[in-house]
């Protein structure tokens, strides 16, 4: 896959001049991976990435080293450095961790969330029903829902771990909410989580969140199977 020139320009933006060039390169490449503009398997040659970003190879080398540690890029024996491709085992491991972490977050939210945070979770859950058949908008609202859930747990270490996991989840590609029937079931699952949190029932909140992630995993497996088929 050819690297398309990023927009807006990264290194020539005056307000970003104070950010170290290696950090800027890291953010630009990471954001391109997370947005799907750089897809799994894309070759990441230093020279080409430097041309793409309009910078020298040194900050690109630094950025790629960090992304390698993050797991967003990998060294392939035949192709060199590429955007990481997830195999079935890796996807399974991601969802196992997501179920554990999000279940924990929901349980903690039932104990620690403020009333305003619970009200926000309720509004986001109800907004799902007004969006209709729009996978992109549903995906955006879904992200807001889960971000609010993580914040509502009030545990900085859990939040940091979930943030790292989310970066890896971006490698999975398109949302599963485009699958027929998935959006409606996901809406119901969100409402079960919120209802448990409203009741301050930590056990029920964790169980609902875990069930939600298991359903998301099944949907993801269906998407991956269809893509390979």
């Amino acid at each position: 896959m050819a690297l398309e020139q990023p927009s807006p320009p990264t290194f020539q933006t005056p307000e970003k001049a104070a950010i170290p060039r290696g950090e800027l390169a890291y953010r630009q490449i990471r954001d391109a991976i997370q947005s799907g503009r750089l897809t799994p398997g894309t070759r990441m040659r230093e020279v080409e990435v430097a041309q793409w970003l309009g910078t020298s190879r040194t900050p690109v080398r630094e950025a790629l080293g960090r992304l390698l540690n993050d797991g967003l890029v990998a060294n392939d024996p035949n192709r060199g450095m590429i955007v990481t491709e997830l195999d079935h085992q890796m996807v399974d491991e991601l969802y196992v961790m997501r179920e554990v972490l999000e279940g924990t977050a929901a349980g903690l939210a039932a104990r620690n969330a403020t009333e305003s945070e619970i009200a926000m979770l309720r509004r986001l859950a109800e907004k799902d029903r007004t969006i209709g058949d729009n996978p992109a908008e549903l995906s955006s609202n879904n992200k807001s829902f889960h971000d609010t859930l993580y914040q509502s747990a009030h545990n900085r270490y859990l939040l940091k771990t979930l943030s790292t996991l989310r970066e890896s989840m971006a490698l999975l590609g398109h949302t599963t909410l485009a699958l027929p029937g998935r959006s409606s079931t996901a809406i119901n699952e969100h409402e079960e989580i919120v209802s448990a949190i409203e009741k301050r029932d930590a056990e029920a909140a964790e169980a609902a969140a875990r069930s939600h992630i298991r359903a998301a995993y099944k949907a993801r497996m269906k998407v991956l199977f269809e893509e390979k088929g």
Side-chain angles (χ1 to χ4, degrees), residues 116-176:
S116 61
E117 287 169 337
I118 295 175
M120 176 59 73
L121 284 168
R122 171 55 65 189
R123 284 195 294 272
L124 289 167
E126 291 175 349
K127 183 179 177 182
D128 278 337
R129 297 198 181 278
T130 69
I131 292 173
D133 187 20
N134 187 327
E137 195 172 343
L138 284 168
S139 179
S140 177
N141 197 59
N142 180 68
K143 182 179 184 302
S144 296
F145 178 87
H146 285 273
D147 284 345
T148 303
L149 178 65
Y150 304 161
Q151 294 286 347
S152 299
H154 291 276
N155 186 302
R156 70 193 72 184
Y157 302 105
L158 179 63
L159 185 62
K160 183 177 180 180
T161 306
L162 280 163
S163 177
T164 300
L165 183 69
R166 169 163 278 175
E167 290 186 354
S168 296
M169 294 293 294
L171 294 166
L172 292 170
H174 301 301
T175 177
T176 59

Side-chain angles (χ1 to χ4, degrees), residues 7 13 35 47 90 106 155 165 219 226:
S7 179
T13 307
S35 68
V47 173
M90 294 166 75
N155 186 302
L165 183 69
E226 291 177 352

Side-chain angles (χ1 to χ4, degrees), residues 78-107:
N78 300 314
R79 292 173 290 173
M81 195 166 286
I82 61 170
V83 177
T84 300
E85 296 174 303
L86 298 178
D87 59 25
H88 178 89
Q89 179 63 29
M90 294 166 75
V91 174
D92 184 67
E93 290 172 6
L94 276 174
Y95 274 92
V96 166
M97 286 307 301
R98 190 179 175 197
E99 180 183 336
V100 170
L101 294 172
E102 295 211 21
T104 301

Side-chain angles (χ1 to χ4, degrees), residues 1-6 25-45 48-50 52-53 60 63-64 67 72-73 81-85 167-174:
M1 174 182 171
L3 297 175
E4 298 179 359
Q5 188 64 32
Y26 171 78
R27 293 182 191 180
Q28 183 66 43
I29 300 168
R30 181 198 61 192
D31 291 348
I33 292 171
Q34 292 179 343
S35 68
R37 287 184 290 129
L38 290 178
T39 58
T42 300
R43 296 183 70 175
M44 303 297 288
R45 299 183 183 91
E48 292 180 358
V49 175
W52 171 54
L53 296 176
V60 169
L64 291 176
L67 291 162
L72 293 180
V73 301
M81 195 166 286
I82 61 170
V83 177
T84 300
E85 296 174 303
E167 290 186 354
S168 296
M169 294 293 294
L171 294 166
L172 292 170
H174 301 301

